[in-house]
Amino acid sequence: MAAALAARAAGVEDVLLLERDQHLGGILNQCIHPGFGLHHFKEELTGPEYADRFVKQVEEDGGIEVSLRSFAVKLTKDKELSYLRPGALEEVKARSIILATGCRERTREMIQLPGTRPAGIYPAGLAQKMVNMEGWLPGREAVIVGSGDIGLIMARRMALEGIAVKAVIEIQKTSRGLVRNVVQCLEDFGIPLYLQHRVSMIHGRDRVEKVLVVKVDEELKDIPGTGFEIACDTVLVSVGLIPENELLEMAGAEIDRKTNTPVAPEVNLTSVPGVFACGNACKVYDLVDWVTRDSGLAGKMAAEYLGSLK
Amino acid sequence: MNADVLIVGAGVTGAAIARELSRYKLRILLLEKEAEPAFGVSKSNSGIIHAGTQNSPASVKGWLCVEGNRLMREEIAADLGLNFVQCGQLIVIFDLADLPELEKIREEGEELGVKGLELKDRAWLNANEPNLGPEVKAALLVPSAGIISPYRFVYALVENAVKNGAELKTSRKVSAIRPLEGGGFEVVAGGEVFRTRFLVNAAGLYADELSALAGAPTFKITPRKGEEYLLDKKREHIVNRIIFPLPSKTSKGILIIKTSDGNPMIGPTAHDTPDKEDLSTSDEGLAEVLAGARRMAPSISKSDIIAYFSGLRPVSGKDFIIRHEDSVPGLINAAGIQSPGLTSAPAIAVMVAGILKEHGLGLEPKEEFHRLRPRPVHLFQVPLDETRRLIGKNPAYGDIVCRCELVSAQEIREALKRGARTLDGVKFRTRAQAGRCHGGFCTTRIMKIMQEELGFPVTAVTKRGPGSELIKDERK
Ligand SMILES: Cc1cc2nc3c(=O)[nH]c(=O)nc-3n(C[C@H](O)[C@H](O)[C@H](O)COP(=O)(O)OP(=O)(O)OC[C@H]3O[C@@H](n4cnc5c(N)ncnc54)[C@H](O)[C@@H]3O)c2cc1C
């Protein structure tokens, strides 16, 4: 939305904004906690409130056509984009494309967490969606693997819902998340954070029953004799985010294999002229305010690119 | 309810037997203890339609494997709309001193009737499998091997058997079997009582317990665990064929497997375990699989892994046990169906039909046998023009639920109509939740579609049956 609005402000006449979900705002909609907008709006908002300010502007702007439940399936380097929506397969040729496709969560599988595969193991963001969007409580006793921000926020969220959060297990020496989240989401709720520990086994046939935890040394190797069990029915995995750049890859842009981000000399640029990537698709940000700032820049860059074509 | 043949177990063996018998004028009942078919051994394996090599010509399973492979290539894949790919396999050696071993595999394979076996040198490998590592010195090419989606194979068999009049009942664990005077059995399962003339035991890992329940404690099943690791689709072309090392005494070794959905897979390990429910994977298993696969293709790395699982081979001795138990007339065991059971199932089914006939069951063909099963729609398999046509027919094909694997709301609904009752059942049929995000984005939407279509509350949605509910409570 920030990119679309900035492109309009820079003189672009015709903007099509595609969103696969049924509403604008993306992941902000499930982030019902405060902490958004301190820099951009100089006031503290929740995720949905922050998103809403942009939704209003987009709706008021006559030059932005919004298409919801619209799923982009194909992008060529010539900026031909195909998307599906209920009832139609649409094809558009754009003069410039901005990909603001965000991130997906790293999964249990990506860290090869051993054990069984029962119900009760969720990426932290999925648990957040269940609780905040659907009103579903995923379990009663939880252990959180990894101390990413979503995991920390969810530790507090679940504690507030009466779910016993028994531990957060982090293999590194420090938390991956913001310090303020460690304090406000764990310490204030008495939730123990085990640094330099890892989950070495998940048990349970149908539903999670317990996890084994072990302390690791400087080389991340298990220290014998330090293992212990935690009984729980839920494991949340919060081990970071990966930019979603499959469309960009399809368009032939160069992608860094490790980070899954576009290889380019400057923020928002990709190796395909006129195709930009912004927000968490460009790099993983820790604050939405910086996403807004840089995405605004992407809108401007696209406008300048269009200008250069004339 | 009365049946002519009651089959216990809706894995690939039971499903194939049900379909084979559904050609005839018979009342067939297929009972399964899990919430859906294919939730036992048949869901977690390598998905290889083996050629028949690496089996002794003196074994039953060798012959059944060759025949099962032929049936798949010549009839079943087309009839049941399966996505079978005959990609071929290579058995590689790391030392030319092992050439005689390859020769032996070739000779035994030829004796079993496997066609087209050819020794290939390093130059051929360089041209045809450029990603194989320098340690690989030569290989035996086996062209008739192929790959398939194992659960979709079972679903197709079951659907077609049901179409032809067989009856499937899930969540029916057989808990008691009483032989009847004058022949036949009374079978108790899930609180219901059934009567049948013949009882076919295709209970996989539990076949020993079931046979004992019927009065024939004649063998024991030992699970042999295999851990498998799936790689990202981006590595789809790491190999063009399935790559095997020389077999060991207990298994075919760690392989690089192509899968019919595109993701390559590495594995499986082979270690005996006492626990029939132990489907865990381990750090040790991962290390073993990686080392084995990397010896053949060194560019495979740990970071390519996107999913993993383990399966248990139901092992009883070296061979399959397919026989009428003379001590319990009317009981036919199809047990100890270890690898290559997925491949052999259609041939096992024909063999079981023969045994039934020998023991007095009349096999009169039906006037009309529906041989064909329409192939379900998978958007990920069709070009965009076909997608456009489908959306024209039904707008819900344009309503994408699973972004990683491109699965529409309509495909989910069709899977539910075809019998999916759990999230895993939806996943196995459609691939929704099977991609990179592992359901992070689509799980709640699928749960809501299940709620709408099946009419049960969201707290009753399970991953794979009772006890695996996803949601504990709804917020007040
Ligand atoms: C790691 C691994 C890799 C493999 N790779 C291959 C391969 O590449 N190619 C190949 O050809 N084969 C392969 N196999 C072998 C193949 O998977 C098996 O041979 C085959 O799936 C066995 O099928 P089944 O129907 O006999 O058993 P199952 O699929 O286990 O079916 C038995 C069914 O019986 C049900 N049941 C049990 N007890 C009861 C009861 N009391 N009442 C009601 N129902 C009951 C179970 O729930 C189950 O659904 C592999 C196996 C493993 C483990």
PDB file of all heavy atoms in Angstrom, chain A residues 281-304:
ATOM      1  N   ALA A 281       9.854  -8.628   1.411  1.00  0.00           N
ATOM      2  CA  ALA A 281      10.311  -9.425   0.276  1.00  0.00           C
ATOM      3  C   ALA A 281      11.716  -9.006  -0.137  1.00  0.00           C
ATOM      4  O   ALA A 281      12.474  -9.790  -0.695  1.00  0.00           O
ATOM      5  CB  ALA A 281       9.358  -9.271  -0.903  1.00  0.00           C
ATOM      6  N   CYS A 282      12.062  -7.756   0.163  1.00  0.00           N
ATOM      7  CA  CYS A 282      13.384  -7.245  -0.203  1.00  0.00           C
ATOM      8  C   CYS A 282      14.414  -7.635   0.847  1.00  0.00           C
ATOM      9  O   CYS A 282      15.501  -8.081   0.538  1.00  0.00           O
ATOM     10  CB  CYS A 282      13.306  -5.734  -0.353  1.00  0.00           C
ATOM     11  SG  CYS A 282      14.879  -4.977  -0.701  1.00  0.00           S
ATOM     12  N   LYS A 283      14.070  -7.460   2.086  1.00  0.00           N
ATOM     13  CA  LYS A 283      14.906  -7.920   3.204  1.00  0.00           C
ATOM     14  C   LYS A 283      14.029  -7.987   4.444  1.00  0.00           C
ATOM     15  O   LYS A 283      13.000  -7.309   4.508  1.00  0.00           O
ATOM     16  CB  LYS A 283      16.102  -6.977   3.408  1.00  0.00           C
ATOM     17  CG  LYS A 283      15.704  -5.544   3.738  1.00  0.00           C
ATOM     18  CD  LYS A 283      16.943  -4.692   3.961  1.00  0.00           C
ATOM     19  CE  LYS A 283      16.568  -3.351   4.543  1.00  0.00           C
ATOM     20  NZ  LYS A 283      17.530  -2.283   4.330  1.00  0.00           N
ATOM     21  N   VAL A 284      14.449  -8.754   5.417  1.00  0.00           N
ATOM     22  CA  VAL A 284      13.598  -8.908   6.599  1.00  0.00           C
ATOM     23  C   VAL A 284      13.806  -7.714   7.533  1.00  0.00           C
ATOM     24  O   VAL A 284      14.907  -7.481   8.010  1.00  0.00           O
ATOM     25  CB  VAL A 284      13.902 -10.237   7.331  1.00  0.00           C
ATOM     26  CG1 VAL A 284      12.980 -10.391   8.532  1.00  0.00           C
ATOM     27  CG2 VAL A 284      13.747 -11.412   6.382  1.00  0.00           C
ATOM     28  N   TYR A 285      12.745  -6.955   7.742  1.00  0.00           N
ATOM     29  CA  TYR A 285      12.794  -5.778   8.619  1.00  0.00           C
ATOM     30  C   TYR A 285      12.306  -6.164  10.015  1.00  0.00           C
ATOM     31  O   TYR A 285      11.521  -7.100  10.156  1.00  0.00           O
ATOM     32  CB  TYR A 285      11.859  -4.692   8.089  1.00  0.00           C
ATOM     33  CG  TYR A 285      12.299  -4.008   6.816  1.00  0.00           C
ATOM     34  CD1 TYR A 285      12.075  -4.595   5.580  1.00  0.00           C
ATOM     35  CD2 TYR A 285      12.915  -2.762   6.847  1.00  0.00           C
ATOM     36  CE1 TYR A 285      12.461  -3.961   4.403  1.00  0.00           C
ATOM     37  CE2 TYR A 285      13.298  -2.114   5.683  1.00  0.00           C
ATOM     38  CZ  TYR A 285      13.069  -2.709   4.464  1.00  0.00           C
ATOM     39  OH  TYR A 285      13.445  -2.079   3.313  1.00  0.00           O
ATOM     40  N   ASP A 286      12.733  -5.403  11.027  1.00  0.00           N
ATOM     41  CA  ASP A 286      12.143  -5.701  12.333  1.00  0.00           C
ATOM     42  C   ASP A 286      11.038  -4.727  12.715  1.00  0.00           C
ATOM     43  O   ASP A 286      10.276  -4.995  13.637  1.00  0.00           O
ATOM     44  CB  ASP A 286      13.191  -5.871  13.448  1.00  0.00           C
ATOM     45  CG  ASP A 286      14.136  -4.697  13.546  1.00  0.00           C
ATOM     46  OD1 ASP A 286      13.855  -3.673  12.897  1.00  0.00           O
ATOM     47  OD2 ASP A 286      15.143  -4.813  14.259  1.00  0.00           O
ATOM     48  N   LEU A 287      10.921  -3.602  12.008  1.00  0.00           N
ATOM     49  CA  LEU A 287       9.846  -2.663  12.328  1.00  0.00           C
ATOM     50  C   LEU A 287       9.083  -2.264  11.069  1.00  0.00           C
ATOM     51  O   LEU A 287       9.684  -1.998  10.026  1.00  0.00           O
ATOM     52  CB  LEU A 287      10.408  -1.394  12.986  1.00  0.00           C
ATOM     53  CG  LEU A 287      10.873  -1.501  14.439  1.00  0.00           C
ATOM     54  CD1 LEU A 287      11.386  -0.151  14.907  1.00  0.00           C
ATOM     55  CD2 LEU A 287       9.764  -2.017  15.344  1.00  0.00           C
ATOM     56  N   VAL A 288       7.769  -2.189  11.198  1.00  0.00           N
ATOM     57  CA  VAL A 288       6.938  -1.858  10.041  1.00  0.00           C
ATOM     58  C   VAL A 288       7.211  -0.431   9.569  1.00  0.00           C
ATOM     59  O   VAL A 288       7.087  -0.120   8.390  1.00  0.00           O
ATOM     60  CB  VAL A 288       5.439  -2.065  10.377  1.00  0.00           C
ATOM     61  CG1 VAL A 288       4.939  -0.987  11.327  1.00  0.00           C
ATOM     62  CG2 VAL A 288       4.602  -2.093   9.124  1.00  0.00           C
ATOM     63  N   ASP A 289       7.610   0.429  10.492  1.00  0.00           N
ATOM     64  CA  ASP A 289       7.872   1.817  10.106  1.00  0.00           C
ATOM     65  C   ASP A 289       8.941   1.901   9.008  1.00  0.00           C
ATOM     66  O   ASP A 289       8.842   2.715   8.100  1.00  0.00           O
ATOM     67  CB  ASP A 289       8.338   2.617  11.337  1.00  0.00           C
ATOM     68  CG  ASP A 289       7.357   2.480  12.490  1.00  0.00           C
ATOM     69  OD1 ASP A 289       7.334   1.400  13.143  1.00  0.00           O
ATOM     70  OD2 ASP A 289       6.588   3.417  12.715  1.00  0.00           O
ATOM     71  N   TRP A 290       9.944   1.036   9.131  1.00  0.00           N
ATOM     72  CA  TRP A 290      11.015   1.074   8.114  1.00  0.00           C
ATOM     73  C   TRP A 290      10.533   0.430   6.806  1.00  0.00           C
ATOM     74  O   TRP A 290      10.957   0.802   5.724  1.00  0.00           O
ATOM     75  CB  TRP A 290      12.286   0.375   8.605  1.00  0.00           C
ATOM     76  CG  TRP A 290      12.755   0.804   9.983  1.00  0.00           C
ATOM     77  CD1 TRP A 290      13.296   0.011  10.934  1.00  0.00           C
ATOM     78  CD2 TRP A 290      12.745   2.127  10.551  1.00  0.00           C
ATOM     79  NE1 TRP A 290      13.601   0.728  12.062  1.00  0.00           N
ATOM     80  CE2 TRP A 290      13.270   2.032  11.854  1.00  0.00           C
ATOM     81  CE3 TRP A 290      12.320   3.393  10.106  1.00  0.00           C
ATOM     82  CZ2 TRP A 290      13.396   3.130  12.705  1.00  0.00           C
ATOM     83  CZ3 TRP A 290      12.438   4.494  10.945  1.00  0.00           C
ATOM     84  CH2 TRP A 290      12.974   4.359  12.223  1.00  0.00           C
ATOM     85  N   VAL A 291       9.626  -0.518   6.933  1.00  0.00           N
ATOM     86  CA  VAL A 291       9.033  -1.110   5.729  1.00  0.00           C
ATOM     87  C   VAL A 291       8.293  -0.027   4.953  1.00  0.00           C
ATOM     88  O   VAL A 291       8.435   0.126   3.743  1.00  0.00           O
ATOM     89  CB  VAL A 291       8.063  -2.260   6.098  1.00  0.00           C
ATOM     90  CG1 VAL A 291       7.251  -2.688   4.886  1.00  0.00           C
ATOM     91  CG2 VAL A 291       8.832  -3.440   6.670  1.00  0.00           C
ATOM     92  N   THR A 292       7.523   0.769   5.678  1.00  0.00           N
ATOM     93  CA  THR A 292       6.746   1.833   5.039  1.00  0.00           C
ATOM     94  C   THR A 292       7.678   2.841   4.366  1.00  0.00           C
ATOM     95  O   THR A 292       7.461   3.227   3.218  1.00  0.00           O
ATOM     96  CB  THR A 292       5.875   2.551   6.095  1.00  0.00           C
ATOM     97  OG1 THR A 292       5.025   1.583   6.711  1.00  0.00           O
ATOM     98  CG2 THR A 292       5.030   3.639   5.460  1.00  0.00           C
ATOM     99  N   ARG A 293       8.707   3.224   5.088  1.00  0.00           N
ATOM    100  CA  ARG A 293       9.643   4.213   4.541  1.00  0.00           C
ATOM    101  C   ARG A 293      10.255   3.708   3.226  1.00  0.00           C
ATOM    102  O   ARG A 293      10.192   4.367   2.192  1.00  0.00           O
ATOM    103  CB  ARG A 293      10.753   4.482   5.569  1.00  0.00           C
ATOM    104  CG  ARG A 293      11.794   5.496   5.108  1.00  0.00           C
ATOM    105  CD  ARG A 293      13.048   5.419   5.974  1.00  0.00           C
ATOM    106  NE  ARG A 293      13.654   4.082   5.881  1.00  0.00           N
ATOM    107  CZ  ARG A 293      14.480   3.569   6.800  1.00  0.00           C
ATOM    108  NH1 ARG A 293      14.781   4.247   7.881  1.00  0.00           N
ATOM    109  NH2 ARG A 293      14.981   2.364   6.625  1.00  0.00           N
ATOM    110  N   ASP A 294      10.799   2.476   3.253  1.00  0.00           N
ATOM    111  CA  ASP A 294      11.493   1.982   2.070  1.00  0.00           C
ATOM    112  C   ASP A 294      10.525   1.624   0.945  1.00  0.00           C
ATOM    113  O   ASP A 294      10.861   1.738  -0.233  1.00  0.00           O
ATOM    114  CB  ASP A 294      12.356   0.758   2.424  1.00  0.00           C
ATOM    115  CG  ASP A 294      13.600   1.174   3.212  1.00  0.00           C
ATOM    116  OD1 ASP A 294      13.807   2.399   3.388  1.00  0.00           O
ATOM    117  OD2 ASP A 294      14.351   0.278   3.642  1.00  0.00           O
ATOM    118  N   SER A 295       9.317   1.193   1.317  1.00  0.00           N
ATOM    119  CA  SER A 295       8.345   0.857   0.276  1.00  0.00           C
ATOM    120  C   SER A 295       7.872   2.118  -0.436  1.00  0.00           C
ATOM    121  O   SER A 295       7.624   2.110  -1.645  1.00  0.00           O
ATOM    122  CB  SER A 295       7.161   0.103   0.871  1.00  0.00           C
ATOM    123  OG  SER A 295       7.620  -1.090   1.460  1.00  0.00           O
ATOM    124  N   GLY A 296       7.765   3.198   0.325  1.00  0.00           N
ATOM    125  CA  GLY A 296       7.445   4.482  -0.299  1.00  0.00           C
ATOM    126  C   GLY A 296       8.500   4.827  -1.339  1.00  0.00           C
ATOM    127  O   GLY A 296       8.187   5.250  -2.463  1.00  0.00           O
ATOM    128  N   LEU A 297       9.729   4.575  -0.977  1.00  0.00           N
ATOM    129  CA  LEU A 297      10.826   4.815  -1.914  1.00  0.00           C
ATOM    130  C   LEU A 297      10.671   3.941  -3.165  1.00  0.00           C
ATOM    131  O   LEU A 297      10.913   4.395  -4.295  1.00  0.00           O
ATOM    132  CB  LEU A 297      12.155   4.522  -1.201  1.00  0.00           C
ATOM    133  CG  LEU A 297      13.421   4.699  -2.020  1.00  0.00           C
ATOM    134  CD1 LEU A 297      13.580   6.170  -2.439  1.00  0.00           C
ATOM    135  CD2 LEU A 297      14.652   4.251  -1.213  1.00  0.00           C
ATOM    136  N   ALA A 298      10.229   2.710  -2.974  1.00  0.00           N
ATOM    137  CA  ALA A 298      10.055   1.809  -4.124  1.00  0.00           C
ATOM    138  C   ALA A 298       9.006   2.360  -5.089  1.00  0.00           C
ATOM    139  O   ALA A 298       9.177   2.308  -6.307  1.00  0.00           O
ATOM    140  CB  ALA A 298       9.647   0.415  -3.649  1.00  0.00           C
ATOM    141  N   GLY A 299       7.932   2.916  -4.531  1.00  0.00           N
ATOM    142  CA  GLY A 299       6.902   3.518  -5.382  1.00  0.00           C
ATOM    143  C   GLY A 299       7.476   4.652  -6.210  1.00  0.00           C
ATOM    144  O   GLY A 299       7.187   4.794  -7.395  1.00  0.00           O
ATOM    145  N   LYS A 300       8.325   5.437  -5.556  1.00  0.00           N
ATOM    146  CA  LYS A 300       8.961   6.558  -6.251  1.00  0.00           C
ATOM    147  C   LYS A 300       9.916   6.056  -7.327  1.00  0.00           C
ATOM    148  O   LYS A 300       9.982   6.598  -8.438  1.00  0.00           O
ATOM    149  CB  LYS A 300       9.744   7.375  -5.216  1.00  0.00           C
ATOM    150  CG  LYS A 300       9.478   8.868  -5.301  1.00  0.00           C
ATOM    151  CD  LYS A 300      10.164   9.619  -4.174  1.00  0.00           C
ATOM    152  CE  LYS A 300      11.285  10.468  -4.764  1.00  0.00           C
ATOM    153  NZ  LYS A 300      12.314  10.804  -3.802  1.00  0.00           N
ATOM    154  N   MET A 301      10.656   4.998  -7.002  1.00  0.00           N
ATOM    155  CA  MET A 301      11.610   4.452  -7.974  1.00  0.00           C
ATOM    156  C   MET A 301      10.871   3.939  -9.209  1.00  0.00           C
ATOM    157  O   MET A 301      11.326   4.111 -10.342  1.00  0.00           O
ATOM    158  CB  MET A 301      12.432   3.324  -7.324  1.00  0.00           C
ATOM    159  CG  MET A 301      13.443   3.828  -6.293  1.00  0.00           C
ATOM    160  SD  MET A 301      14.044   2.507  -5.188  1.00  0.00           S
ATOM    161  CE  MET A 301      15.368   1.829  -6.158  1.00  0.00           C
ATOM    162  N   ALA A 302       9.721   3.306  -8.977  1.00  0.00           N
ATOM    163  CA  ALA A 302       8.939   2.799 -10.109  1.00  0.00           C
ATOM    164  C   ALA A 302       8.459   3.960 -10.970  1.00  0.00           C
ATOM    165  O   ALA A 302       8.496   3.901 -12.202  1.00  0.00           O
ATOM    166  CB  ALA A 302       7.757   1.966  -9.602  1.00  0.00           C
ATOM    167  N   ALA A 303       8.023   5.050 -10.305  1.00  0.00           N
ATOM    168  CA  ALA A 303       7.567   6.229 -11.052  1.00  0.00           C
ATOM    169  C   ALA A 303       8.704   6.801 -11.893  1.00  0.00           C
ATOM    170  O   ALA A 303       8.526   7.143 -13.063  1.00  0.00           O
ATOM    171  CB  ALA A 303       7.036   7.284 -10.087  1.00  0.00           C
ATOM    172  N   GLU A 304       9.880   6.867 -11.310  1.00  0.00           N
ATOM    173  CA  GLU A 304      11.041   7.392 -12.056  1.00  0.00           C
ATOM    174  C   GLU A 304      11.381   6.493 -13.232  1.00  0.00           C
ATOM    175  O   GLU A 304      11.737   6.955 -14.307  1.00  0.00           O
ATOM    176  CB  GLU A 304      12.262   7.513 -11.127  1.00  0.00           C
ATOM    177  CG  GLU A 304      12.181   8.755 -10.263  1.00  0.00           C
ATOM    178  CD  GLU A 304      13.114   8.691  -9.046  1.00  0.00           C
ATOM    179  OE1 GLU A 304      14.005   7.798  -9.006  1.00  0.00           O
ATOM    180  OE2 GLU A 304      12.920   9.524  -8.138  1.00  0.00           O
TER     181      GLU A 304
END
